């Protein structure tokens, strides 16, 4: 009997709680999806939401973080089901799909010139389609050459490689005297296999798309593929690159078994926590005929379907791009800043290794926005793997891939 | 006693039938609708396009390469699994000390998901940090580490072996059921008549477990045909699509390339293929009672 009474008291209390909670939903709700960059990402954006809610008591912001592997599919499902978020992080290269399907809202009418001018101007370019700004970058990254100082000392490499030929010469020395270490890591498996090859491809003057056609089978493309192939054949890279994804070569480097590799700023953080004794340096991307590097951004997008676009854009400006949130994000994630004012902070300004990456922002080249991008990547990757495996020579494999890509990207 | 109600069995089937239609029928109907329309990356269904999606799939060389690889994969996985499972189940059915523990050890991998199996093997097979290479080098069997997953010629057979390993426990259970349901008197009679162990196995055990072999074949074919996790985790179908089977290629077409309509057409064809196989097999093999 006593239990019964307790039970009914509890259920009445629960009911009361539900009723009491009801007015809370009268607040304007914003649903924001962020990608899971690290375990700190959710906290960063929740802090931003809390500050914004404190300033705007009638607003409630739900932040949700979704892993990169699921993000594209998750947004597609939400859009198809009619429950898209108000704001979401997306990979910048997806923007065409969202614009063509009338899902992204152009931001030009919401962002004032003062806000716009806080960004590094060239980082806004990748999110611009048909002259309209659809995306605001939340991070930037460039790629640089990490080299193992101890291995280079042991092998007698005295100057840091400046060109791809220098890198080959240094790798030969590492192979000769490096106690089984490999000269240069080449990625040949899974996501960004194509990116790893754009480094030399672009530096030899190649373009992914030239006059509406694939440019990968150009002289620059063949030269870049043959360069990597020559590393593999001469044993200057780790054996069988088609078995190594990005993490694999990064692990080799952390273990001190790799003379050099090209990758982004995140590896600094990993080395700090996993291999603090590794004596390494960071240098600009090797040159071919041009000096440039790969640049990438991830971005914030406002959904056209959002009933509260005005408020959502306010949260973007005052919450997500407040200096406080930006610094928390940049410092905890290890990416490059997107706002000029971030570099005023001494913690970023005095970070010498970050500076190598940030200094390359002006020469960073972005992959072109094009339809069917994921399939273009898959086709390119497949051709590169055939070349790395020695199943086809560079010209044959790249020409076949270029012909396929031409069909994919031809206007229909 | 009155005659049993004629309608009652059908009425009792209704709930499970409704559930089956809801779970299987609705998605299939939706797939059919998408397969004859243009569908964008976000699942929005557009114009009716007839058989265009089907012809796109059928003229895709990667589809056919994946199809033939799926046949090799399914056949080798099924026969490999059954070849290993019969003797294992036979031994586990004998009375020996520690049989309970041995059974547990053989069947335990069943509790491990294919995804976890894949991840463990991906690490084990890694060319630079993998246990297997470390072991082989330690034993002096190889001088250079082998990159097991770097070429299709090596990676695909390796994936088949791992697939067999993952399928053995369930199949062993099926055959254990078969062996333990065998009548012991006929075996005693054969023993008295002077049949040796080989003859007994060949002429008595095998025919008696034939229905169980049939079940094992059907279940393993369905499992192997739809087995996504192991290949996806080991190689993602690479390098250069050399280990893609239909399900991994389907995943790429649908969720990486965003071609939902073509993917619908492809999955309908796969569904039809499996359905036809199972129906034909049930008709010709399982119903046949000539043993």
């Amino acid at each position: 009997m006593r239990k019964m009474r307790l039970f009914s008291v509890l259920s009445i209390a629960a009911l009361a709680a539900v009723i009491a909670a009801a007015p809370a939903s009268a607040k304007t709700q914003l649903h924001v999806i962020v990608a899971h960059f690290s375990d700190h990402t959710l906290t960063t954006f929740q802090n931003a939401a809390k500050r914004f809610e404190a300033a705007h008591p009638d607003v409630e912001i739900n932040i949700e973080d979704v892993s990169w592997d699921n993000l594209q599919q998750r947004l597609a499902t939400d859009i198809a089901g009619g429950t898209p978020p108000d704001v979401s992080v997306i990979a910048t290269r997806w923007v065409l799909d969202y614009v063509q399907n009338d899902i992204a809202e152009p931001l030009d009418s919401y962002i004032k010139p003062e806000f716009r001018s806080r960004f590094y101007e060239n980082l806004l370019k990748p999110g611009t389609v048909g002259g309209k700004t659809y995306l605001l970058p939340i991070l930037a990254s460039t790629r640089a050459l990490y080299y193992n100082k101890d291995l280079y000392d042991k092998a007698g490499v005295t100057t840091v490689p400046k060109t791809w030929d220098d890198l080959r010469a240094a790798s030969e020395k590492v192979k000769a005297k490096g106690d089984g270490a490999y000269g240069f890591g080449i990625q040949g498996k899974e996501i960004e296999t194509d990116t790893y090859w754009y480094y030399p491809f672009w530096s030899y003057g190649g373009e992914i798309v030239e006059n509406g056609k694939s440019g990968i089978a150009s002289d620059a493309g063949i030269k870049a593929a043959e360069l990597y192939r020559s590393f593999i054949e001469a044993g200057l890279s780790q054996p069988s690159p088609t078995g190594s994804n990005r993490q694999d070569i990064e692990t080799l480097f952390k273990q001190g078994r790799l003379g050099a590799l090209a990758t982004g700023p995140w590896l600094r953080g990993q080395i700090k926590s996993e291999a603090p004794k590794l004596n390494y340096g960071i240098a600009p991307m090797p040159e071919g005929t041009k000096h440039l590097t790969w640049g990438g951004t991830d971005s914030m997008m406002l959904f056209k379907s959002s009933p509260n676009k005005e408020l959502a854009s306010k949260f973007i400006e005052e919450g997500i791009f407040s200096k406080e949130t930006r610094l928390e994000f940049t410092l905890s994630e290890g990416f490059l800043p997107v706002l000029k004012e971030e570099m005023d902070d001494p913690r970023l300004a005095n970070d010498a290794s970050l500076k190598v990456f940030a200094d390359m922002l002006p020469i960073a080249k972005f992959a072109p926005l094009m339809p069917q991008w994921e399939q273009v990547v898959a086709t390119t990757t497949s051709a590169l793997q055939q070349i790395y495996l020695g199943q086809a020579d560079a010209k044959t494999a790249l020409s076949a891939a270029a012909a396929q890509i031409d069909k994919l990207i031809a206007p229909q | 006693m009155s005659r049993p109600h004629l309608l009652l069995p059908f009425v009792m089937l209704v709930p499970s039938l409704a559930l089956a239609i809801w779970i299987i029928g609705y998605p299939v109907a939706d797939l059919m609708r998408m397969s004859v329309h243009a569908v964008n990356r976000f699942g929005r269904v557009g114009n009716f396009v007839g058989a265009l999606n089907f012809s796109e799939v059928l003229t895709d060389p990667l589809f056919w390469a994946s199809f033939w690889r799926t046949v090799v994969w399914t056949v080798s996985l099924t026969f490999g699994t059954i070849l290993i499972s019969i003797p294992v189940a036979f031994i586990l059915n004998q009375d020996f000390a520690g049989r309970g523990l041995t059974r547990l050890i053989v069947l335990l991998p069943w509790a491990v998901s294919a995804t976890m199996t894949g991840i463990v093997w991906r690490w084990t097979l890694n060319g630079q940090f993998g246990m297997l290479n470390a072991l082989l080098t330690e034993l002096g069997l190889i001088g250079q580490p082998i990159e097991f997953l770097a070429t299709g010629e090596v990676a695909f057979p390796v994936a088949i072996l791992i697939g067999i390993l993952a399928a053995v426990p369930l199949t062993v259970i099926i055959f254990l059921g078969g062996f333990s349901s065998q009548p012991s008197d006929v075996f005693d009679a054969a023993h008295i008549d002077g049949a040796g162990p080989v003859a007994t196995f060949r002429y008595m055990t095998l025919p008696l477990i034939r229905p169980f072999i049939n079940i094992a074949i059907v279940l393993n074919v369905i499992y192997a045909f739809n087995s996504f996790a192991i290949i996806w985790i080991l190689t993602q179908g690479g390098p250069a699509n050399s280990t893609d089977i239909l399900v991994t290629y389907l995943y790429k077409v649908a969720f990486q390339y965003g071609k939902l309509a073509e993917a619908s057409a492809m999955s309908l064809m796969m569904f039809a293929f499996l359905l036809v196989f199972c129906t034909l097999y049930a008709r010709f093999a399982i119903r046949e009672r000539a043993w």
Side-chain angles (χ1 to χ4, degrees), chain A residues 107-118 314 317-318:
Chain A
L107 297 167
D108 302 276
S109 58
Y110 302 98
I111 49 177
K112 292 175 234 77
E114 308 90 87
F115 178 35
R116 199 186 161 92
S117 65
R118 290 163 63 203
K314 206 168 186 173
E317 177 170 355
E318 294 172 19

Side-chain angles (χ1 to χ4, degrees), chain B residues 88-279:
Chain B
V88 169
F90 187 74
I91 293 166
L92 288 182
N93 195 43
Q94 310 301 313
D95 213 1
F96 59 91
R99 182 174 75 164
L101 185 70
T102 319
R103 279 188 179 184
L104 184 73
I105 291 171
V106 171
L107 303 184
L108 210 54
W110 193 27
V112 180
S113 72
T115 313
M116 283 196 268
T117 310
I119 292 172
V120 168
W121 278 103
R122 186 182 164 130
W123 279 104
T124 310
L125 295 171
N126 188 299
Q128 295 294 332
F129 335 107
M131 292 273 289
L132 192 58
N133 270 307
L135 185 73
L136 293 176
T137 317
E138 201 87 338
L139 294 174
L141 293 175
I142 52 171
Q144 276 278 330
I146 304 170
E147 281 281 355
F148 290 100
L149 304 177
T151 59
E153 293 83 44
V154 183
F156 193 56
V158 164
I160 289 176
L161 290 180
I162 295 169
I164 290 175
L165 219 57
V168 158
L170 175 66
T171 316
V172 165
I173 290 177
I174 295 172
F175 287 125
L176 262 181
F179 286 126
S180 56
S181 68
Q182 282 175 353
S184 60
D185 47 356
V186 288
F187 283 89
D188 292 339
H191 187 65
I192 290 165
D193 287 346
V198 177
T200 313
F201 190 81
R202 169 71 187 81
Y203 295 106
M204 300 192 59
T205 313
L206 270 189
L208 278 170
I209 59 161
R210 209 170 131 187
F212 294 89
I213 295 182
N214 284 332
I215 290 173
I217 288 178
V218 172
L219 287 183
N220 273 301
V221 164
I222 297 174
Y223 159 80
F225 193 85
N226 290 326
S227 163
F228 171 77
I230 289 174
I231 288 194
W232 187 257
I233 287 168
L234 288 179
T235 62
Q236 294 191 357
N241 298 89
S242 57
T243 55
D244 256 329
I245 59 170
L246 283 177
V247 273
T248 56
Y249 188 56
L250 173 69
Y251 181 87
K252 289 182 191 174
V253 172
F255 299 118
Q256 292 191 340
Y257 310 158
K259 297 184 162 180
L260 294 179
E262 277 175 38
S264 306
M266 201 193 291
S267 53
L268 274 182
M269 285 190 261
M270 291 166 62
F271 181 67
F273 186 78
L274 261 192
L275 202 67
V276 167
F277 167 81
C278 291
T279 320

Side-chain angles (χ1 to χ4, degrees), chain A residues 55-100:
Chain A
H56 306 268
D58 53 338
V59 180
E60 191 178 321
I61 299 172
N62 301 310
I63 309 273
E64 189 185 355
D65 81 333
V66 177
S67 82
W68 271 116
D69 287 340
N70 297 328
L71 186 58
Q72 172 92 311
Q73 204 186 328
R74 162 68 195 274
L75 289 174
T77 314
D78 283 358
I79 292 162
T83 55
D86 298 285
V87 175
S88 176
V89 168
I90 69 163
T92 305
R93 62 175 182 276
W94 300 345
V95 70
L96 268 192
D97 277 329
Y98 287 90
V99 171
Q100 282 168 356

Side-chain angles (χ1 to χ4, degrees), chain A residues 160-410:
Chain A
V160 181
K162 272 199 74 173
T163 66
W164 293 104
D165 295 331
D166 292 350
L167 182 66
R168 197 207 323 251
S171 301
E172 274 161 2
K173 289 182 185 164
V174 170
K175 190 196 174 196
K177 294 188 190 158
D179 297 334
Y182 308 117
F184 177 63
I186 294 177
Q187 182 191 340
K189 185 180 177 181
E190 293 171 3
I191 190 165
E192 290 209 348
T193 296
D194 58 322
T195 308
Y196 210 86
W197 170 78
Y198 298 149
Y199 309 149
F201 172 55
W202 278 346
S203 80
Y204 288 127
E207 293 287 346
I208 295 173
V209 184
E210 273 174 322
N211 307 322
K213 294 206 157 206
S214 169
I216 59 169
S218 60
D219 291 345
I222 293 164
K223 198 166 179 193
E226 279 172 353
L227 174 85
Y228 278 177
R229 178 71 199 145
S230 75
F231 272 87
I232 298 165
E233 268 179 342
L236 303 178
S237 72
Q238 86 282 14
S240 307
T242 48
S244 310
N245 67 6
R246 188 166 83 193
Q247 283 77 23
D248 289 330
I249 55 173
E250 286 176 353
T251 306
L252 274 178
F253 188 76
K254 284 182 258 185
Q255 291 178 336
R257 295 166 62 194
L258 204 56
L261 88 167
T263 191
W266 55 81
L267 189 62
R268 300 173 307 138
Q270 292 177 20
I271 292 172
K272 205 171 175 181
S273 60
E274 292 166 37
K277 284 183 189 152
L278 190 75
N279 183 16
Y280 72 102
I282 301 174
M285 188 63 81
E287 294 172 35
T289 52
K290 291 181 174 179
H291 186 210
L292 37 75
T293 189
W294 188 94
T297 60
D298 289 322
S299 304
M300 276 289 166
M301 186 183 87
L302 178 60
F303 282 74
K304 195 161 240 172
S305 56
S306 164
N308 302 304
K309 289 194 273 282
E310 201 63 51
L311 181 70
S313 62
K314 206 168 186 173
F315 175 62
I316 291 177
E317 177 170 355
E318 294 172 19
I320 295 170
F321 288 101
S322 72
K323 190 172 179 182
E324 207 173 352
T325 310
R326 283 307 311 162
L327 282 175
E328 185 176 348
F329 183 84
T330 304
L331 286 166
S332 62
E333 309 291 355
F335 290 109
L336 301 182
V338 295
L339 301 179
K340 293 172 210 156
E341 67 212 46
E342 290 177 60
M343 280 313 265
D344 298 342
D345 189 273
R347 284 167 297 182
L348 291 176
N350 299 334
D351 185 338
S353 61
L354 187 74
K355 209 169 166 310
V356 180
F357 289 98
D359 284 349
M360 276 189 290
L361 272 177
I363 55 160
K365 194 173 165 71
F366 298 91
L369 291 178
M370 55 198 283
Q372 315 286 359
W373 172 248
E374 301 292 337
Q375 212 172 344
V376 170
V377 167
T379 310
T380 311
T381 301
S382 204
L384 291 173
Q385 287 172 333
Q386 287 170 2
I387 297 165
Y388 297 164
L389 285 168
Q391 291 173 345
D393 66 277
K395 196 176 164 71
T396 317
L398 289 173
S399 305
Q404 279 185 47
I405 293 171
D406 285 346
K407 257 187 256 163
L408 283 173
I409 61 177

